[in-house]
Amino acid sequence: MAVLVHMTKDGGRRHFILGDRPARIGRADDADIHLEEPLVSRTHARIEKNGDVWVLQDLNSRNSTHVNGERIHEHRLIHGDEILFARARCLFLAVDDNETSGSLRDDGLIVEEP
C-alpha cells in the first residue's frame, strides 16, 4: 500500500490511499486524486503500481510534474519522494502492508490503534 499526502497551502494535509488500480491526479472533478490548485491540469498525472513498484507518469501537463526537484515524464517512486504537480506539493509514502492496521497521523505516518 502507499499513501500520497497533499500539503495544502493553508498548512493542512490530505491523505490519499493508493490502491491496486491506477489513480488519475488532476483538477478535474472526476479525478481519483482531486487537487484544487489553479495551475494543476485537469488530468495532470497518473500513479500506478506495477508489481512491487509504484510509477508516476506526467500526462503531458501544462505546468509539469517534478520529483525531488527534477522534472519528470515517468518516474519510479520511492518512500519519501517529494512531488510537485505544478505548485501542489505532495509526499509519497510507501507503507508496509503489515502496518495498515493503524491509522494515519497528521504527519502521514501510520500509528497503531490500541
Side-chain angles (χ1 to χ4, degrees):
M1 178 178 106
V3 178
L4 188 69
V5 182
H6 175 217
M7 278 69 93
T8 62
K9 291 178 186 175
D10 63 3
R13 293 177 186 214
R14 297 174 56 216
H15 299 86
F16 299 96
I17 296 174
L18 302 171
D20 291 333
R21 66 180 187 87
R24 291 177 304 115
I25 302 157
R27 196 172 29 86
D29 290 336
D30 65 345
D32 300 306
I33 297 175
H34 178 79
L35 299 176
E36 192 57 49
E37 300 279 346
L39 296 177
V40 170
S41 297
R42 289 175 174 263
T43 305
H44 197 101
R46 177 177 61 219
I47 293 180
E48 64 183 313
K49 188 173 184 182
N50 292 330
D52 292 336
V53 176
W54 289 93
V55 178
L56 171 65
Q57 182 180 28
D58 182 85
L59 299 176
N60 297 316
S61 64
R62 172 174 262 171
N63 292 304
S64 68
T65 301
H66 292 78
V67 177
N68 301 323
E70 298 290 326
R71 185 176 184 167
I72 62 103
H73 174 68
E74 187 171 293
H75 182 83
R76 180 179 173 175
L77 293 168
I78 61 171
H79 180 78
D81 277 344
E82 185 175 314
I83 305 167
L84 284 175
F85 302 103
R87 291 187 186 160
R89 186 171 158 246
C90 296
L91 184 66
F92 176 80
L93 302 174
V95 180
D96 185 334
D97 287 336
N98 296 326
E99 297 178 10
T100 58
S101 62
S103 61
L104 287 171
R105 292 190 330 202
D106 285 341
D107 60 1
L109 299 176
I110 299 292
V111 291
E112 293 299 319
E113 294 186 7

